[in-house]
Amino acid sequence: MRKRITVLKGDGIGPEIVNEALKVLEAVAETYGHHFAYQCMDIGGIAIDQHGTPLPQETIDACLDADSVLLGAVGGPKWDGLPGDIRPEKGLLGIRKAMGLYANLRPARLFPQLADASPLRREIVEKGIDFVVVRELIGGVYFGEHKTEEVDGELVATDVMPYAEHEIRRIVQVAMEIAKKRRSCVTSVDKANVLDTSRLWRKVAGQVAAEHPDVAFSNMLVDNAAMQIVKNPAQFDVMVTENMFGDILTDEASMITGSIGMIPSASLGDGTRGLYEPIHGSAPDIAGQDKANPIGTILSAAMMLRYSFDLCREADAVEAAVAQVLDQGLRTADSMADGCTLVGCRAMGDAIAAAISAQT
Ligand code: IPM
Ligand code: MG
């Protein structure tokens, strides 16, 4: 199979973690007889420095022209003082929107090898953590009107949170389809006791759920969901929610699995082209020091193989290789534990790539 991948390394640890994911993709290509062509483009802070904008038109064009997109991370203190519309994060939001990627899949799965790294008590962890958050990605307060104005001598800031029925329907539909390939259970998370957008969300989600009687469906308020994730994460299979609730809950969900550095994500729209990125940020404090955990990005590449290219055997191989190096006790600093071997970003990528090549 031949595929063209646009690569957006971004800022901070972005370049180093993406390099390891490319190493792993090359091991897959070689082992399974595929050909991946990469085109690197700028996004985020580096794009501001090079082109004066966090999302140059040529980056958008290259993403829309590719079979899929792999992204590292954007942002850093260097650009923190910039106004909202030319911050690095604007590049990330812009490319999600430009590619129409409304469905963000973020698995929260505990590798048993990392059970000790989870901050949860052993008896909770032992019940198993394996759920996926389906986050609406191009609507809500992220994309509503933002303004700051002076009213009666003081500043007043406003962020508008719009949701249309079709935006809710399509994301809940995605959650239903994913649930059918898992344990057939969907929890829709909202704040319907306060927000109009959530009351509409609950109504539309209920309508979609009624079309899928084979899926167990329930609603949960977001504050309760935040509590339930740490109290009894085993109850969840698929959680579907709006953009900002999903942003917050996925950081929480990732941490209970041991390290945010392990969690991949897939952002999908109506076609097969997606954008794949780890859910963590650009970690400028450790950038360029070969300390970052590349596994979140490597597992994002595995999701690309699975969801965009339908290469499930290859995706399984990458996931098995990650499990294998964890079994060997290799850990980057974020997930280091007693009796394990501390390795850098490059050595972790090397080990995973080698494990793939050795599988056949
Ligand atoms: C994420 C990040 C982004 C978001 C930021 C960097 C804009 O936190 O992907 O979760 O809020 O979506
Ligand atoms: Mg986030």
Side-chain angles (χ1 to χ4, degrees):
M1 185 178 273
R2 299 180 80 82
K3 292 290 178 191
R4 289 175 309 126
I5 301 170
T6 292
V7 178
L8 309 174
K9 296 185 181 180
D11 310 315
I13 58 170
E16 40 196 305
I17 53 177
V18 169
N19 286 344
E20 298 317 308
L22 296 181
K23 200 182 271 176
V24 167
L25 282 173
E26 277 314 281
V28 167
E30 203 170 299
T31 309
Y32 294 90
H34 302 302
H35 184 265
F36 302 133
Y38 311 102
Q39 185 182 15
C40 292
M41 302 298 288
D42 292 330
I43 194 168
I46 175 110
I48 295 172
D49 291 352
Q50 305 280 334
H51 315 269
T53 161
L55 185 60
Q57 186 60 44
E58 53 266 37
T59 297
I60 300 178
D61 293 344
C63 291
L64 293 176
D65 188 46
D67 294 311
S68 215
V69 181
L70 183 68
L71 185 139
V74 299
K78 180 175 176 195
W79 305 281
D80 272 349
L82 292 172
D85 54 343
I86 50 164
R87 286 178 61 97
E89 291 79 1
K90 194 75 183 175
L92 182 56
L93 301 181
I95 196 64
R96 289 170 176 171
K97 188 79 166 183
M99 294 176 69
L101 307 173
Y102 56 83
N104 182 216
L105 278 41
R106 296 186 163 185
R109 184 160 73 93
L110 180 88
F111 281 91
Q113 300 91 333
L114 292 189
D116 288 333
S118 172
L120 296 186
R121 281 205 311 275
R122 189 94 207 178
E123 66 257 37
I124 298 178
V125 171
E126 271 166 4
K127 286 199 253 164
I129 303 174
D130 180 10
F131 62 97
V132 50
V133 180
V134 178
R135 169 188 175 194
E136 199 293 322
L137 201 60
I138 53 174
V141 71
Y142 275 62
F143 292 91
E145 190 196 352
H146 306 285
K147 65 175 181 199
T148 305
E149 60 197 340
E150 204 176 308
V151 180
D152 298 334
E154 64 172 348
L155 292 176
V156 175
T158 311
D159 300 287
V160 182
M161 180 175 178
Y163 264 110
E165 287 179 271
H166 77 274
E167 295 173 299
I168 303 169
R169 190 168 295 115
R170 66 186 180 186
I171 189 75
V172 177
Q173 185 67 36
V174 168
M176 292 291 160
E177 297 307 330
I178 290 174
K180 285 180 193 177
K181 295 186 193 143
R182 295 175 46 100
R183 302 191 299 277
S184 289
C185 174
V186 171
T187 310
S188 175
V189 174
D190 62 37
K191 188 72 185 173
N193 53 350
V194 176
L195 301 176
D196 259 40
T197 42
S198 282
R199 284 188 273 271
L200 183 63
W201 184 282
R202 196 170 274 219
K203 180 174 161 209
V204 175
Q207 291 166 351
V208 177
E211 294 159 14
H212 301 271
D214 47 333
V215 175
F217 175 81
S218 58
N219 297 293
M220 191 179 276
L221 294 172
V222 62
D223 45 352
N224 185 26
M227 180 181 78
Q228 296 295 336
I229 285 174
V230 292
K231 187 174 171 220
N232 178 17
Q235 72 186 284
F236 296 116
D237 178 22
V238 176
M239 186 182 276
V240 61
T241 192
E242 67 88 36
N243 204 343
M244 190 164 66
F245 296 160
D247 177 46
I248 298 167
L249 293 178
T250 52
D251 265 35
E252 186 192 14
S254 71
M255 196 55 220
I256 64 169
T257 69
S259 169
I260 192 169
M262 302 286 299
I263 306 293
S265 81
S267 301
L268 302 166
D270 284 329
T272 57
R273 183 175 48 228
L275 181 143
Y276 299 83
E277 54 174 322
I279 82 157
H280 61 71
S282 60
D285 52 321
I286 57 163
Q289 299 172 33
D290 194 36
K291 282 185 186 163
N293 185 348
I295 293 180
T297 319
I298 289 169
L299 292 174
S300 299
M303 291 184 92
M304 174 188 291
L305 295 171
R306 190 183 304 282
Y307 291 106
S308 283
F309 305 158
D310 201 23
L311 295 174
C312 296
R313 183 183 54 154
E314 289 80 346
D316 288 345
V318 175
E319 287 163 5
V322 169
Q324 197 180 322
V325 304
L326 294 176
D327 278 336
Q328 289 163 7
L330 302 191
R331 301 284 188 277
T332 44
D334 55 305
S335 47
M336 186 55 189
D338 285 350
C340 292
T341 310
L342 182 65
V343 296
C345 182
R346 278 196 300 273
M348 183 59 97
D350 285 340
I352 295 168
I356 291 167
S357 308
Q359 276 166 6
T360 50

